[in-house]
Structure formats: structure tokens, C-alpha cells
Amino acid sequence: MKIYDVSMPIVPDMPVYKNKETKKPLIQVVQDFDTAAARESKITMDVHCGTHVDSPLHMLPDGGTMETIPLEHLVGKARVLDFSEVEGGIGKEDLEAKDIQPGEFLLLKTKNSGKDEFDFEFVYLKEDGAKFLAEKKVRGVGIDALGIERSQPGHPTHKSLFQAGVIIMEGLWLKEVPEGTYFMVALPIKLMETEAAPARVILMEGIRA
């Protein structure tokens, strides 16, 4: 069985959204062996840092928080779709060629996965693409960018998906993952009453959902 860890490493100099210093994790050693019998550290971290799951509250004032997302929606079959040749944004026309079915959890692989730095022109999911996926009644959608949309006033991609009950996952690392179907385990940290949570996400070959 092959396992792909598609989570971003959490390190102080990791890529963060729009290179904002306030979004970078701060990892501090509280005590070490020079001062105590054990080493201990603490971390200060934005909940949208690295690989993470968004809850509807991120964009909808009356939206649900992280504890409203059922774990069974984050564990099970997921399909990686390769859009590495797409420039700009993934639209309805791109998605129509992928035979998308209701209930699928889709992971969008783009040229974003080949970059170690934040790209202000990252490939994103366009509004018409989001509406198409909402109409298809997919279970969730993830992307290998630190945002699922950019340069769209009013955040229509987020809102179209959230309003349809579609889970959003951002910050995946899909560079080494071929297009295909996998068994996904995506476990957000058990934060309560937040609009997002960092997650460890793995994809496994050869396991039936």
C-alpha cells in the first residue's frame, strides 16, 4: 500500500497566504535540557496556515463552525483531478471533461504544487467552476493553493460552495500524486467554534471506500 502525505510541513519559514508575516507559525522552545529534565515547545499559528479545512463561518456570518463538519465527510474515497496545464483559473469547461459525480470529494492538482513560494497568481477555482461543482452536489473540494480563489470580489467561489454544503480544503501538496482515486483521511485539529483548522491529510492507494 502506498501512502501520500499531501500536507504542508509546519515550519517558521513556510509559504503563507500573500506572504503575510502574521500568518507564519511561531515555534518557541519553552524549556530545554539546559534548564529542565524535558524539552517543551509551544506554537502560535493562524488556523488557515498550511493545509487546512475551512468551515462555512469563514465566509458566511451565520455559517457553521468547525465542529459542524462531520468527520465521515473527510474520510473516504477522494479523486485527484490533474489540471496542471490550466493557466489562471479552473472553470466549468475544465471540470465538465472529468465526469464528476454527486458525492465525490475532489482534489484539484495544478501547477501550484510545484512551487515552494507563495505565487500571487496561483491557479484557483473560478466562480463558474464552483457553481458547477455545487450543482453536481460534490461532497468536498480541495486545492493545492493556500486559497481556493483570488481576485473575485465578494468571494463567490467560497460562498457558492459553502451555501451548497460543500467542504473546502486548502493548502494541499499534490505534486507527486497521479490523477486517480484514493482513500483519503483528512483530520483537522479538534478546534471548536473556529472558522478553520489545520489538518493532516493522507491519500492511500489500494483501499476501497
Side-chain angles (χ1 to χ4, degrees):
M1 178 180 66
K2 186 172 181 59
I3 298 176
Y4 294 94
D5 185 345
V6 295
S7 317
M8 292 178 66
I10 303 298
V11 292
D13 61 347
M14 67 185 293
V16 293
Y17 191 72
K18 292 187 176 180
N19 294 330
K20 295 180 179 179
E21 286 296 320
T22 54
K23 288 189 173 292
K24 290 187 176 181
L26 176 62
I27 304 172
Q28 298 172 291
V29 177
V30 176
Q31 65 179 41
D32 59 21
F33 296 110
D34 293 331
T35 59
R39 178 184 170 102
E40 295 182 2
S41 304
K42 70 176 182 180
I43 184 169
T44 302
M45 181 176 167
D46 190 293
V47 294
H48 298 269
C49 185
T51 307
H52 63 278
V53 175
D54 284 344
S55 79
L57 183 63
H58 180 40
M59 290 292 172
L60 305 177
D62 297 322
T65 51
M66 282 304 299
E67 70 268 23
T68 66
I69 299 176
L71 275 183
E72 55 264 32
H73 291 182
L74 293 166
V75 177
K77 187 167 67 174
R79 188 154 65 107
V80 174
L81 303 180
D82 195 337
F83 294 106
S84 299
E85 302 303 316
V86 172
E87 299 289 338
I90 299 167
K92 177 181 178 181
E93 185 175 349
D94 301 304
L95 294 162
E96 285 177 328
K98 299 295 186 178
D99 189 30
I100 293 166
Q101 300 298 313
E104 286 196 293
F105 204 116
L106 304 174
L107 306 179
L108 311 181
K109 177 181 178 178
T110 75
K111 63 180 183 178
N112 298 329
S113 278
K115 299 180 179 179
D116 296 321
E117 300 178 350
F118 180 78
D119 181 358
F120 282 83
E121 299 299 318
F122 64 85
V123 178
Y124 66 102
L125 178 62
K126 293 180 179 179
E127 179 180 2
D128 70 331
K131 288 182 176 178
F132 174 76
L133 294 181
E135 292 169 358
K136 283 288 186 179
K137 301 185 185 302
V138 300
R139 186 169 92 253
V141 58
I143 194 167
D144 57 357
L146 289 169
I148 201 165
E149 68 181 313
R150 63 172 173 82
S151 305
Q152 296 188 134
H155 307 288
T157 290
H158 277 90
K159 291 178 179 177
S160 295
L161 295 173
F162 283 144
Q163 288 167 349
V166 179
I167 297 171
I168 295 175
M169 192 183 302
E170 299 171 329
L172 297 169
W173 187 253
L174 300 170
K175 182 179 180 180
E176 306 299 328
V177 185
E179 183 172 83
T181 301
Y182 301 86
F183 189 89
M184 179 180 74
V185 178
L187 299 180
I189 294 174
K190 198 172 182 179
L191 291 175
M192 311 298 285
E193 301 181 0
T194 59
E195 80 292 342
R200 187 71 177 263
V201 183
I202 63 171
L203 302 177
M204 293 175 278
E205 287 182 341
I207 296 181
R208 293 184 179 181

